[in-house]
Amino acid sequence: MDCGRELLRYLAEQVPRIYCLEAEPCPQEEELALSLLLQPLEYFLFGEDPHVSLEKLQQSGASSQLCGRVFKEGETTYSCRDCAIDPTCVLCMDCFQNSIHKGHRYKMHTSSGGGFCDCGDLEAWKTGPCCIKHDQGSTSALKLDSDCALEAGLQERAQKLFRVLLQYIADMLVWEENDILPAELQPSVKEDTYYCVLYNDEHHSYDHVIYTLRRAVSCSHKEANTHTSLIDKEGRRAVKRGTYESCQQAKRLIQENSEQISLQPLRVEILHSAVMAHQSFSMRLGTWFQQIISSSVGLRQVFCQVALEPSPTAGRASLISRLMLHDAKLYKGARKIIHELIVCSLLMETEYKRLFAIEFTKHYKQLQKDFISDDHERSISVTALSVQIFTVPTLARQLIEEGNVIKVIIDTVMEMLSEHLDNNNRFHFQGYNSDKFFRIQVIFHDLRYILISKPMIWTNKLRTQFLEGFRTFLGMLACMQGMEEVKRQFGQHIEVEPEWEAGFSIQMQLRHILSMFQDWCASDEEVLLRAFKECHSTLMSCCNQPFHGEATDSYMCKHILHARPYRVSQEPVTVHLPVSRLLAGLYIHLCRTGAIVHLHEYAHCDFAYFAEHPLRCLVLAAQVSAEMWRRNGLSLVSQVYYYQDVKCRDEMFDKDIIMLQIAASKIDPNDFVMLVLQRFELFEVFNGSCSTKDQELLKQWNRLTEEMLHLFIIIIGERYIPGISGVTKEDMTMREVIHLLCIEPMAHSSLVKALPENESRETGLENVISTVATFKKPGVSGHGLYEVKKECLQEFNPFFYHYSKSQRSKAEDAQKKRKAQEGCDKALPPPVPPPFSQAFSSIVQLLRCDVLLHVLRQVLQKAVEDTTTQWTEAMVQRAMHLAAQALLEEKTQLEANNEDDVTFDFNIGSEHGKSLFDFLSKLKGLPSLEAQKDMIQWTLQMFETVKCLRVKSSPLAATSMDQTKPEENIQDKEKAERKRKAEAAKHRQKIMAQMSAMQKNFIETHKMLYENVPESGAQGEPSAPMVSKRRVAVGPRRGVALIEREVLTCILCQEEQEVKARAPAMVLTACVQRSTVLTQCRGKETYNPLFMHPDLAVGTHTGSCGHVMHASCWQKYFEAVQNTSRSRLHAEPIIDLENGEYMCPLCKSLCNTVVPLIPLDPLPLHLESAELVGQLLTFPRWIEIIMARINGLKAATQASGKTSPNSKPCSCLEYFYDHIHCFLPNSKKFSDSIGNMLTVCATTVYRVGLKVPPNELDSRVPIMSWNTCAFTIQAVENMLLDEDKPLFGSLQNRQLAGLKAVVQFSAAQRRKSSQAVIQNHFMGMLGALIPHMNDEDSPSVLEIDCFHLLVGLVLAIPALYQEETVDLEPSAISTAYNHLYLLHLVTMAHILQVMLDDGLMVTFPRFRTDAPGWYVADQVRRGIAPFLRCAALFFNCLTGISPPEDQLEALCSYLALPSNLFSLFEAHKEVVSQLLQRYLFWLLNFLTLVVLRKYPRKQNRLIDLPEDYSTLLNQACHFQCPKASDDERKHPTLCLFCGAMLCSQSTCCQEQLDGAEVGACTAHAASCGAGVGMFLRIRECEVVLMASKTRGSTYHAPYLDDYGETDPQLGRGNPLHLSPERYRKLHQLWQQHCILEEIVRSQEVVNVMFAFEWQML
């Protein structure tokens, strides 16, 4: 004790000197704590160097078999569906990856935090309890305790130290004084320093706290945000440090400001700095304890002993109990430390886990009370540890035997719910507190945990204690029996909807608990019988909805019913009957196990009384369906819906049916039917003593009759329950699945939702689905579907009792349609059911009892008499179905037994049978029953079949068959006709398919005949046969384009107009966006747009959906969109109006500009004249002339207008015109409308491409127009190559029209710009190719993208012909040679780029001597192919010449290039030699500064993803945020463009972008994708698409489970595998620049009031 006092005195002096010295925790705190506090403690504990001692302990001691990893919030956990004892048994990522369960059926889930890995727990797994890592500890774990014992000195020191420190932790964490410390911790000097501490709660939002802090303590938004995040994470935070008065003022301001927002103020306390210091150190000791005890089993056992030992002070609990009982008062950070300490100590040792469980159970009620009054989530409450205790089978049984834990749990619930009991001791939840009620329901989870594993061996003590708990449970059910009763409202509609959700939420919580209690009881015969007795006694003692009248006699068909009257439509009734339903469940188990023979020894049953309340409930549902209770509002409709819904029906509706079946098997059939008629209030109707002309009442009677007949169908036909017949649970599931698939093909997830789950959350679907259905795999969208097998359709029952009204109608229509397609009749007879078990065999006698046959006869008689208001088709259909059930039953018994042994006689032997046969025969000709004609015929035939089986005589059979021969002949003829028509239809389809195949084959064989025939959706212009011979688009041999008159229809006004240059403009919708689809170097941008870098870092893409409008119509539409969007004040705008965005009026594609349609107007080219000119205008001569013109322009610019007319510039101009004498006046003038649209489009391209404000006068406007033309073509070529499609003929007409419009717009752009600007641009571009120009600003030819250069040169060269006074255009011949020589020049430059390929230079460093010729030629052909493809596409759109085939030789021919491209250098040797000298000189001097690139460029693809999604989860599990040191939950997000792993939605990784704080993904998308991003959120299993800082949407991940479905948020948890088709679709979405469009479409479908802050992702 002296040692402990000295230690506390040391802590009292040292701790305040280390902790809480500054307003913010400093890094030096940890260093000082280690050196001055923790290391001395370790030296005292071990008596030597701690590292040496710990190493010895780890080598000598036994390693733990249990993993015990405590899960953080958001961490992925795994559960094996094949091997886990229950769904709560989970593995961490590392253990799962190294276990046998990876190859089993497993589920993945996201942990809410607090649980731990069950690897190594033998009671948690059927097989494979240990992974490879922990399997090594399984043998050592079997060692005796003596092997784990510590040496005496170490053990003694550990006990002393642990006792003092754990006492210190408990004292400080539960310490409630803010200003003083315990006497033993009082420092010698007390400083006047205080902290204003703000605590976390669940009432105030982030924004509320931030607002309050900024107002109260005058901090910045960033500081307030940091404070708020840490308060949410740790549970509290010191927001101010100072004197007591300053902290008191801050406290007052915080409370005042928080009360302005919420009625409840924030919790604020003022703590002395010494108190804060000791509490901080006690938290640090908690983590220190975890490290120490994890190193040795012996030390862990010592800790457990100290934690659980009774307190020496009388009346005080053990240390661990003190901490548990104060849990609700602790802040979040302290709770987490204590819980983790409990998990890694007490729960890791079997014996101490048992002792802790006893302590936990002893304080269970108080812990739950504290939790209910707390406002924190359960995951950070000590009550959450119950799952770690109660789910251990052996421990659960010990707690039942020793602590009667079932009674403890139920008593706790009842005490919490006692305030909701009314005077009749029944629950009434009107005006309940939803939050408190939700917390109370959580307690039911503990009861389910206790009952998860039923015992295999029962002891007397276990029986006694379990039955005691069962009696307590029955007491709770008795409070639910008859609760929330309703009474039919007459006259006025109900004013206030009664509360009903609370009762059903309890029912849902009890659903599995009820079935688990029944399973426990059924596992022991004595327990089952005694439980039935207890349940029977409880039911008989319940007094809900009693009878108010005396029993009376009722007569029908010479039978008397002596029963007490009760009218559901006038007296109270309820849907809550848990005691009755539990009794029905126990009775079924008695029948199944054979214990029913001893029932008379335990209880005397009144089966009519048993059935009374369930029958009332079913009548209530029928009356609600008949709209008799519509004045009671939606609450009752909702109750009836959930009563029959899959979430509740197995313990509500199904049990009521079972109870009626039990009663029907024990009561006289006629009495039972009369009782049902009375409760349905139809007794007088069918007795003939009641009639009315009230149409509303007649409708109600008809609807009630339908429901009553349906109930009889269910009671007689629904036998798929173990105990009622000999079926198994698999048979039940199989039948459910068949009937679900008879409605429509369904996805696996839809089937799972429609099937009831057991206590292990399993439906049994996987065990039966392959037997009853076939799977159809999904395509690139949608999901996989199951279709029912044909052989299973015979099990279809149109009156399946789990069908809703709409499902029954759909299923019936689907099956009739299927039968019609097969050429069969549309009859849907009942399937042959399994025989009843012995206890229920008398139910079939209902079908032949007098009263039911009387009811059926009356229904059919009303139909025959055609009294329209007194019958419906549905009544007749149900009556026939009952008759068919009876005939099938008789037929089955006759086929299985001798006639003398068959007691069931429904057919001709009875008068009722004859009358039914007669009525059905008359109904055949009734027009109103045409839809039931086939079913009537089937029933009549079944009558005859059964009659033949009865008679067993062929003459009689023949005679009877002859009586119906005409009818059968008619039916046979109808069948034959239907079959003939079906076969004829199939034959026609086959012939049409053959003709289509022959047509396609002929076209393919004679392809050349169809080359010039225009087809819908095919690329290319129609041309004459002569034109097709000259497929050359460049040079003097250029072909002639066949230009047709283009008349288009405006999608807005639907008026037609021809596209003309001088007519009003027609425009295409278009979207301009920045793109990195082709980039070879992410994050790098070109600063000079005149020279696009070959890395294509960021390009400007212009796409169009191809829809045409008048320019005037578009302007009106855009103005209307602006006005409409501005009027929606409260809705988040989908489009950005400020940036000119709008939706295409037709296809709703996102657009932000329009492209004017400019007609193609090629000049005719005379071939002979062109060849003559070519003899003079050689390549050197052309360069000389161009240079002369450029020099003249430069001289004119330098002269600045001062040069005289006779000076050199004029002579240069004359020289140019003398030699290029083929020029024409500019005849192509555009209308003002087209001119305006050219400006609109060019300005948008400029604004978007350069991210600058619009300025139509900027000199870069034409450059950006040319660049978008070049980049768009390159993107199209890349897309076609990626999809392995030919260059020409693959684009749709609308796509091709958009591309042509972009090219023509770019070509026309020079007309809207200053010619001097265009000329300067041309000179700059040409200066990069021609060395004589000596332009110092021109980059190296290796640093320029040649295709962008080609497009710019071709579209700019006509400006050389322009003069200020004369508007001239080059002639067709000049244009041809300009295009030819520019193409030759750029092609040679690109060949040089390819020859200096990085790959070639690496493979052959001494390029000139080492590289073989064939290798170089092959590399050049492959490297230049994309350039040639783009050039061909460009000149095709520019000139309209028919396109060539997609082969290199054809492309070269089309571009007037030699097939051997190296011959260009030979043909232009004189010029090329000079160019090469310049290039080589530059290369030799600057090669080290240039990064050599590989051609062809690498095609960008989305990153490779692993096939198994668990691999990604493993990466996410080991992901460490680069900017945060804690291990709190992160959102690892993978960029699919580059593979970077980012920390999204976290303040730690926020960055500044354009002056605003943005998340990591937004910042990354700005650099990686030019604002466009595609990210995979790994833990959420969803793709996020981003297109700007404020725009994004989610998209399905490309991972599917075995059933072809995605799993967002890992909700289902099935193993996921990569779908190449889905991933390919994502890739195409990116390559085709459709991400922005997809985002907008998604936002349009899911438009929310408050948009998600995508910029913070």
Side-chain angles (χ1 to χ4, degrees), residues 554-725:
S554 302
Y555 302 88
M556 183 179 285
C557 299
K558 302 179 182 180
H559 295 278
I560 303 174
L561 174 68
H562 185 75
R564 302 177 73 175
Y566 195 94
R567 296 179 68 85
V568 173
S569 63
Q570 297 178 5
E571 300 184 57
V573 66
T574 181
V575 297
H576 296 287
L577 305 167
V579 180
S580 300
R581 291 158 184 158
L582 179 57
L583 189 72
L586 293 174
Y587 187 91
I588 290 296
H589 283 295
L590 287 170
C591 297
R592 184 179 60 80
T593 60
I596 191 71
V597 297
H598 302 293
L599 180 60
H600 65 279
E601 302 173 11
Y602 290 83
H604 298 283
C605 302
D606 182 356
F607 292 100
Y609 181 76
F610 290 174
E612 179 62 35
H613 292 91
L615 179 56
R616 292 179 192 175
C617 188
L618 288 163
V619 172
L620 172 65
Q623 291 182 354
V624 170
S625 178
E627 299 183 351
M628 295 173 60
W629 291 69
R630 58 179 176 268
R631 290 184 177 86
N632 287 69
L634 292 176
S635 62
L636 182 59
V637 176
S638 302
Q639 290 185 65
V640 172
Y641 170 79
Y642 278 103
Y643 167 71
Q644 297 174 324
D645 186 66
V646 66
K647 296 178 182 177
C648 301
R649 71 185 181 209
D650 49 354
E651 291 298 332
M652 295 187 81
F653 173 71
D654 291 0
K655 287 298 191 294
D656 286 347
I657 296 297
I658 290 173
M659 185 58 87
L660 290 186
Q661 289 177 316
I662 294 170
S665 67
K666 297 298 181 181
I667 303 175
D668 178 79
N670 289 293
D671 290 351
F672 181 80
V673 176
M674 285 193 289
L675 179 64
V676 173
L677 281 168
Q678 274 197 352
R679 296 298 176 258
F680 271 88
E681 302 173 21
L682 294 172
F683 191 91
E684 303 300 332
V685 174
F686 284 97
N687 213 15
S689 57
C690 181
S691 62
T692 183
K693 293 185 179 179
D694 185 349
Q695 296 299 314
E696 184 68 23
L697 186 57
L698 287 171
K699 286 182 181 179
Q700 291 177 4
W701 286 352
N702 290 341
R703 186 66 183 140
L704 288 174
T705 303
E706 295 171 12
E707 295 294 330
M708 183 190 68
L709 293 175
H710 189 205
L711 178 60
F712 282 124
I713 291 172
I714 292 172
I715 292 172
I716 296 165
E718 294 301 335
R719 312 176 189 181
Y720 280 82
I721 296 171
I724 292 182
S725 66

Side-chain angles (χ1 to χ4, degrees), residues 1285-1552:
K1285 292 181 179 179
L1287 182 64
F1288 298 99
S1290 300
L1291 296 178
Q1292 297 179 358
N1293 279 342
R1294 290 190 291 111
Q1295 291 175 311
L1296 183 61
L1299 187 62
K1300 288 183 176 180
V1302 170
V1303 173
Q1304 294 299 327
F1305 148 75
S1306 302
Q1309 183 55 38
R1310 64 179 178 81
R1311 303 176 189 274
K1312 295 295 296 180
S1313 303
S1314 166
Q1315 296 306 313
V1317 169
I1318 303 295
Q1319 290 166 354
N1320 284 333
H1321 291 332
F1322 178 81
M1323 289 187 288
M1325 289 185 286
L1326 193 64
L1329 292 176
I1330 299 186
H1332 306 299
M1333 298 180 67
N1334 295 320
D1335 191 345
E1336 298 297 333
D1337 296 331
S1338 297
S1340 164
V1341 70
L1342 299 181
E1343 299 293 306
I1344 304 173
D1345 177 65
C1346 284
F1347 182 67
H1348 276 73
L1349 189 63
L1350 173 67
V1351 171
L1353 289 169
V1354 168
L1355 299 183
I1357 195 171
L1360 293 182
Y1361 296 80
Q1362 299 290 323
E1363 286 296 325
E1364 294 182 2
T1365 56
V1366 182
D1367 191 8
L1368 300 177
E1369 285 286 316
S1371 67
I1373 296 178
S1374 297
T1375 300
Y1377 281 103
N1378 288 341
H1379 290 177
L1380 177 66
Y1381 292 142
L1382 284 173
L1383 178 61
H1384 284 192
L1385 191 60
V1386 176
T1387 302
M1388 288 188 289
H1390 189 47
I1391 292 174
L1392 180 62
Q1393 288 180 331
V1394 175
M1395 293 180 67
L1396 293 175
D1397 185 307
D1398 181 42
L1400 272 171
M1401 297 299 286
V1402 170
T1403 308
F1404 302 102
R1406 292 184 300 162
F1407 180 75
R1408 186 173 298 179
T1409 58
D1410 287 357
W1414 63 267
Y1415 182 82
V1416 175
D1418 183 65
Q1419 287 292 99
V1420 169
R1421 287 171 64 89
R1422 292 194 302 108
I1424 204 172
F1427 170 81
L1428 297 180
R1429 287 162 55 86
C1430 290
L1433 201 54
F1434 169 64
F1435 282 110
N1436 172 252
C1437 295
L1438 184 65
T1439 64
I1441 305 299
S1442 299
E1445 296 180 2
D1446 190 10
Q1447 296 176 357
L1448 187 63
E1449 290 74 10
L1451 292 175
C1452 289
S1453 175
Y1454 187 72
L1455 297 171
L1457 294 172
S1459 57
N1460 181 5
L1461 294 171
F1462 288 102
S1463 59
L1464 279 175
F1465 293 90
E1466 182 64 27
H1468 307 308
K1469 182 167 52 176
E1470 181 181 346
V1471 176
V1472 169
S1473 60
Q1474 299 177 15
L1475 297 180
L1476 287 178
Q1477 287 177 6
R1478 165 74 182 260
Y1479 296 155
L1480 292 174
F1481 173 79
W1482 192 94
L1483 284 172
L1484 291 174
N1485 288 277
F1486 302 102
L1487 185 59
T1488 56
L1489 304 177
V1490 178
V1491 178
L1492 296 179
R1493 288 160 188 87
K1494 185 173 179 60
Y1495 293 94
R1497 296 185 184 93
K1498 181 189 68 164
Q1499 279 191 291
N1500 289 331
R1501 298 181 180 278
L1502 298 181
I1503 64 168
D1504 293 332
L1505 292 178
E1507 195 275 338
D1508 191 340
Y1509 196 72
S1510 64
T1511 305
L1512 278 178
L1513 288 172
N1514 193 21
Q1515 294 178 19
C1517 182
H1518 294 95
F1519 170 71
Q1520 293 291 331
C1521 175
K1523 297 184 180 179
S1525 57
D1526 58 46
D1527 55 354
E1528 290 300 310
R1529 179 185 183 183
K1530 303 296 181 185
H1531 294 270
T1533 304
L1534 186 66
C1535 175
L1536 297 181
F1537 293 166
C1538 67
M1541 187 77 80
L1542 307 168
C1543 177
S1544 69
Q1545 280 185 294
S1546 180
T1547 55
C1548 59
C1549 291
Q1550 289 182 359
E1551 298 182 19
Q1552 285 280 336

Side-chain angles (χ1 to χ4, degrees), residues 95-363:
C95 290
F96 172 75
Q97 293 289 345
N98 294 292
S99 71
I100 64 172
H101 307 293
K102 189 175 181 181
H104 297 174
R105 294 185 309 144
Y106 63 86
K107 279 187 175 291
M108 307 176 291
H109 293 291
T110 301
S111 173
S112 58
F116 67 87
C117 177
D118 292 304
C119 183
D121 187 351
L122 301 180
E123 290 195 75
W125 310 98
K126 300 171 187 175
T127 57
C130 301
C131 67
I132 297 174
K133 177 182 177 182
H134 295 105
D135 194 32
Q136 299 170 359
S138 60
T139 54
S140 58
L142 298 176
K143 294 181 180 180
L144 298 176
D145 291 341
S146 57
D147 296 334
C148 302
L150 303 173
E151 60 182 42
L154 176 58
Q155 184 164 357
E156 182 181 355
R157 292 192 301 273
Q159 287 178 342
K160 289 181 180 180
L161 184 62
F162 287 3
R163 190 174 291 115
V164 173
L165 293 180
L166 193 55
Q167 180 75 47
Y168 169 78
I169 291 174
D171 288 343
M172 292 316 305
L173 290 183
V174 303
W175 189 252
E176 296 181 355
E177 299 293 336
N178 296 340
D179 191 31
I180 60 174
L181 287 165
E184 61 271 17
L185 292 175
Q186 287 287 350
S188 56
V189 179
K190 184 178 180 180
E191 296 184 3
D192 184 23
T193 307
Y194 291 84
Y195 283 94
C196 180
V197 181
L198 180 58
Y199 287 80
N200 177 57
D201 65 24
E202 300 301 326
H203 302 290
H204 297 82
S205 67
Y206 258 59
D207 292 336
H208 290 171
V209 179
I210 291 172
Y211 169 81
T212 301
L213 287 176
R214 295 187 67 184
R215 296 285 298 272
V217 296
S218 302
C219 61
S220 66
H221 184 277
K222 186 174 183 180
E223 290 173 336
N225 189 38
T226 302
H227 283 314
T228 306
S229 300
L230 290 173
I231 291 170
D232 181 64
K233 174 186 171 184
E234 298 295 337
R236 75 176 190 180
R237 171 77 169 174
V239 296
K240 186 173 183 59
R241 183 178 187 269
T243 62
Y244 182 83
E245 290 75 16
S246 63
C247 291
Q248 186 67 32
Q249 182 183 5
K251 175 182 178 180
R252 180 178 56 80
L253 290 173
I254 289 174
Q255 291 181 333
E256 289 177 356
N257 283 283
S258 61
E259 282 181 324
Q260 295 176 7
I261 303 172
S262 174
L263 294 177
Q264 186 170 349
L266 287 164
R267 178 190 168 193
V268 190
E269 293 183 4
I270 300 175
L271 300 181
H272 192 272
S273 60
V275 176
M276 279 284 289
H278 281 285
Q279 289 184 347
S280 300
F281 180 61
S282 64
M283 293 274 289
R284 181 64 182 87
L285 276 178
T287 58
W288 178 80
F289 262 127
Q290 294 180 42
Q291 296 168 358
I292 292 296
I293 64 178
S294 64
S295 63
S296 169
V297 175
L299 288 174
R300 184 167 63 217
Q301 292 175 352
V302 171
F303 178 88
C304 294
Q305 292 171 8
V306 171
L308 290 169
E309 66 185 6
S311 174
T313 306
R316 295 188 71 176
S318 64
L319 292 174
I320 205 66
S321 296
R322 283 186 65 199
L323 290 170
M324 282 197 299
L325 291 171
H326 281 80
D327 182 75
K329 299 178 183 178
L330 300 178
Y331 56 94
K332 189 184 294 186
R335 291 188 191 192
K336 289 181 178 179
I337 291 292
I338 297 303
H339 299 170
E340 290 176 3
L341 195 54
I342 292 173
V343 168
C344 69
S345 59
L346 296 167
L347 299 186
M348 295 289 285
E349 296 289 332
T350 305
E351 178 59 22
Y352 294 106
K353 187 175 185 178
R354 184 184 69 82
L355 295 174
F356 173 73
I358 294 173
E359 283 286 299
F360 185 85
T361 305
K362 184 167 63 176
H363 302 297

